[in-house]
Amino acid sequence: MANEGPKTAYLVGSVWPTNRTGVLGDKELDPKLPPSIRLVHLSMGFTQGNLAEFQASIPGYEAKVAELAAMKPDLIRVIGAPPFMLLGYEGERDTIRSWEERYGIPMVTSGQNHVRAFRTLGVRRIVGASYFPEDLNALFRTYLTDAGFEMLGMDGIDVPFADVPKVPSSEIRRQLTDMFARHPGGECLYMLGSAWKTLDIIEPLEADLGVPVVHALPARCWETQMRLGVQHPIPGYGRLLAEMPEPA
């Protein structure tokens, strides 16, 4: 058989947790990906963003994964950290591994992506923030502790789930700066959640705090490329995406 050479086109499927703005996907970073990467999006349509909704969601996620797998993508991104972090670090890994075996497609969750970003950046002591309540933040702390990190903080910014995209990035920057100061010794600032409209504050925060910022959207963009064997740096969104380090 003739050698077909490296792939020049890729299909990536994504299951998003919600569709708050009426537009699926990341409208700032998706267009900056190489044109060889085509994206297909589905949504879980979450409306409550609470423990009960997330706990009941895994069968629905698998149904969406099966729908995407039928398209034979090169990668499926299972987006939405909370539902899978609730399974625990080991439970999430086992679930995704079973889906990969069942459907024959590589997959990555948000939690797995964030863990890989921390390890690649060489950080262990983390100050985290989310827009979820304390019962969920406690579970996120447990997940990340079990993954081998020291969670100096995992604090919530109080905002209704549906209104997260409406919070000005300047206000979030102020709160994150105060939060980081309350937890001295942090080696990384972690922003859990894809609904933050805060891509513009990543580099200023890195400059102010002197540590890398792991934000869901750039971290996902970085690993998507790495999984496909593509390396297209995108400056302006923090160290991880600008430098494109090889995954640890």
Side-chain angles (χ1 to χ4, degrees), residues 104-117:
I105 306 293
M107 303 183 196
V108 60
T109 69
S110 295
Q112 291 173 327
N113 169 225
H114 302 164
V115 166
R116 190 164 290 115

Side-chain angles (χ1 to χ4, degrees), residues 1-243:
M1 180 181 293
N3 187 346
E4 296 179 356
K7 289 194 67 168
T8 58
Y10 306 91
L11 178 62
V12 176
S14 301
V15 184
W16 290 81
T18 185
N19 186 15
R20 290 180 180 88
T21 63
V23 179
L24 278 176
D26 173 2
K27 294 307 169 185
E28 184 154 2
L29 292 181
D30 284 354
K32 298 179 186 295
L33 285 168
S36 58
I37 301 174
R38 183 166 67 90
L39 304 172
V40 176
H41 304 293
L42 299 177
S43 173
M44 289 293 295
F46 291 150
T47 59
Q48 303 302 309
N50 58 26
L51 183 61
E53 186 173 44
F54 293 144
Q55 286 176 326
S57 69
I58 300 303
Y61 264 108
E62 185 175 3
K64 300 289 186 183
V65 162
E67 185 177 344
L68 289 170
M71 303 177 194
K72 304 299 183 185
D74 298 283
L75 175 68
I76 294 176
R77 307 182 304 182
V78 188
I79 299 170
F84 292 87
M85 284 185 168
L86 299 187
L87 299 176
Y89 179 66
E90 299 291 344
E92 174 192 61
R93 184 188 62 182
D94 293 344
T95 297
I96 295 303
R97 182 179 294 160
S98 72
W99 290 359
E100 289 177 325
E101 292 173 355
R102 187 172 305 149
Y103 299 106
I105 306 293
M107 303 183 196
V108 60
T109 69
S110 295
Q112 291 173 327
N113 169 225
H114 302 164
V115 166
R116 190 164 290 115
F118 297 142
R119 290 175 177 166
T120 298
L121 291 166
V123 299
R124 182 173 173 273
R125 294 165 58 86
I126 296 166
V127 177
S130 83
Y131 41 75
F132 293 103
E134 174 53 29
D135 60 344
L136 287 170
N137 287 325
L139 292 166
F140 304 155
R141 282 193 292 270
T142 298
Y143 172 96
L144 291 164
T145 299
D146 290 345
F149 302 100
E150 183 178 350
M151 296 306 297
L152 303 183
M154 189 68 230
D155 301 339
I157 291 178
D158 187 19
V159 57
F161 184 67
D163 293 340
V164 171
K166 302 175 185 177
V167 182
S169 61
S170 58
E171 172 59 18
I172 296 173
R173 178 181 177 181
R174 182 190 67 77
Q175 293 201 41
L176 292 177
T177 300
D178 291 346
M179 190 180 297
F180 196 81
R182 294 198 301 269
H183 301 287
E187 298 170 342
C188 176
L189 176 64
Y190 172 41
M191 299 174 66
L192 186 156
S194 294
W196 301 109
K197 297 301 181 185
T198 47
L199 289 175
D200 62 313
I201 66 172
I202 298 174
E203 287 202 336
L205 281 169
E206 288 188 336
D208 291 347
L209 304 177
V211 300
V213 172
V214 171
H215 182 297
L217 273 62
R220 183 181 306 120
C221 186
W222 162 75
E223 184 162 355
T224 297
Q225 294 188 64
M226 289 299 181
R227 289 282 193 126
L228 301 176
V230 177
Q231 199 163 8
H232 176 69
I234 305 176
Y237 302 94
R239 174 180 162 188
L240 191 66
L241 196 50
E243 298 179 4

